[in-house]
Amino acid sequence: MFERTPDISDVLERFDEGSEVVIRGWIHRVFKVGGKVFAWVRDHSGFIQVVFDKSGLSTEWESVERLSRESSVEVKGSVRVDERAPGGKEIIATELVVYGYSPPFPIKGGEDVEYLLNVRHLWLRSRQMIALLKIKHTVIQALKDWLLKDGWWETTPPILTGSAVEGGATLFEVKYFDKAAYLSQSAQLYLEVLIFPLNRVWALTPSFRAEKSRTRRHLSEYWHLEVEAAWYDIDDMMGVAEGLVSHAVAKTIEERSNELKLLNRDVTKLESALHPPYPRVTYDEALEILARKGFSIKWGEDYGADEEKALTEEFDKPFFVTHFPKRIKAFYMKEDPKRPEVVLGFDLLAPEGYGEVIGGSQREDDYEKLYNRVLMEGLDPKDYEWYLDLRKYGSVPHSGFGLGIERLVMWIAGIEHIRDAVPFPRWRERIYP
RNA sequence: GCCGGGGUAGCUCAGCGGUUAGAGCGCCGGGCUGUUAACCCGGUGGUCGGGGGUUCGAAUCCUCCCCCCGGCGCCA
């Protein structure tokens, strides 16, 4: 059994000069100068310099000289305050245990994207990736906290499904005994079922899209936070989105300031997101803004990536686009009773060019209308019988949305590419490691 | 799927028709009483993505294929 040792951050923050400590971690960098060896040791919490000097060291010197980057070690020694040490404190080693030496580490700095992706399993030890892993943790916890405090039920919808939610072309097909099944691309339809027993529900699940996308904002596998609630209209649901996003930003700024700093995130650009409400523009108004900026889109067409980016430059905080033409949106979105050509759908776009983070809507709750939309979409109502049943047995007005965790992390952390918001990114050409 | 860029040493790249393909970093050896991407000296390092072709001669030109990166559509 291993006795627990203090985190390196604890040693830096709470241990005084002369304290005897034992730490465990990995060698981040090693300098052999004169008769001494300086090693920076890393654990999940931080880095500290360890100084090895022949005098006072009970371990044979050869073990120290063999130390290399990423060797795993346990060091016993005493704390010394010294301004020459990074962080202002170091450990003068009295004993060294090496759990595993490391051959020359394949990452030295300056490698290109492809190389780093191929050694992703090792690159995750880098400071940037550690910071991103922690930021993602905090974002997820913040989202869960908000929902828990607001009284929502966490549920576990299936990942293996028998039918599609959106278009069929983007599904991953898997063998399911002697039939075909699909990896879920959204839990929405199942969450709609679960509001009947539980009123307000959410789930955090992986979603899968077999799109052949090659962009900085798409993954084949991503983490999807979906919420669904009875007796919530589109405005209520946008309020939920504002609550979740502003809380996630607040928590991250509060708890991950070191990590944001390491990533050079300009936190002042996030501050406006702390204060909902977020601006709301309709699709029609978005088209007007775009027209002013020189983009001409016919009513009824969707806007593309360039247009979306241009739109995000108009706002300094996240904002909603609402009331899209029915024909460009999914069949389950409720049509606006005042304007049947549009639906009660909304997107939440992050500023600074980051774009869509959330897509949601009020759902069609009328049996006949939904049935017809299924038909119009060219779908087989038989596949959606259970879904249509929800509009038969005590139908209720309800709304929901899906939030892309990596999209949110990407914007909050201010990173260029979505692949770094997930430890093991997957897209068409990438399944290793 | 479409458009663009790329594949030369372990890594990042230069070389773009002419001897035996180079540099920096790394790595190995040596030196240095405090390093912060250490420094100094010496050494090591290559089927030039793969096949076919043109040529006296190909990393270099042509052709097919493979792989990767960026962008578009789609979306979270």
Side-chain angles (χ1 to χ4, degrees), chain A residues 104-119:
Chain A
F105 202 59
I107 303 166
K108 328 279 183 194
E111 290 82 3
D112 71 3
V113 172
E114 183 194 351
Y115 182 85
L116 290 174
L117 283 166
N118 286 332
V119 293

Side-chain angles (χ1 to χ4, degrees), chain A residues 309-322:
Chain A
K309 197 168 180 208
L311 264 183
T312 71
E313 283 155 7
E314 287 290 294
F315 299 90
D316 66 347
K317 55 157 81 174
F319 63 98
F320 294 99
V321 181
T322 67

Side-chain angles (χ1 to χ4, degrees), chain A residues 199-322:
Chain A
N199 286 51
R200 298 190 294 163
V201 299
W202 64 275
L204 178 60
T205 61
S207 275
F208 303 89
R209 305 273 164 108
E211 298 282 359
K212 292 169 182 172
S213 306
R214 278 209 63 83
T215 83
R216 288 183 266 184
R217 311 177 41 230
H218 288 85
L219 292 166
S220 304
E221 178 185 301
Y222 67 96
W223 285 81
H224 205 175
L225 177 76
E226 290 172 280
V227 303
E228 197 72 32
W231 289 291
Y232 271 56
D233 67 13
I234 180 176
D235 291 312
D236 298 326
M237 205 37 87
M238 288 193 279
V240 173
E242 284 167 337
L244 281 170
V245 169
S246 59
H247 186 62
V249 172
K251 272 283 179 196
T252 309
I253 290 175
E254 184 188 326
E255 294 178 7
R256 298 273 79 86
S257 60
N258 289 340
E259 287 77 14
L260 290 170
K261 198 172 166 190
L262 183 102
L263 297 170
N264 294 316
R265 181 55 164 137
D266 181 356
V267 179
T268 61
K269 290 200 169 143
L270 290 173
E271 278 164 5
S272 59
L274 295 171
H275 310 293
Y278 299 155
R280 288 152 203 227
V281 296
T282 62
Y283 168 87
D284 293 33
E285 288 163 346
L287 253 46
E288 285 168 28
I289 294 171
L290 288 170
R292 280 208 304 279
K293 297 179 79 98
F295 294 94
S296 69
I297 298 166
K298 279 196 211 115
W299 196 94
E301 281 174 13
D302 211 348
Y303 48 78
D306 290 344
E307 292 83 8
E308 187 184 283
K309 197 168 180 208
L311 264 183
T312 71
E313 283 155 7
E314 287 290 294
F315 299 90
D316 66 347
K317 55 157 81 174
F319 63 98
F320 294 99
V321 181
T322 67

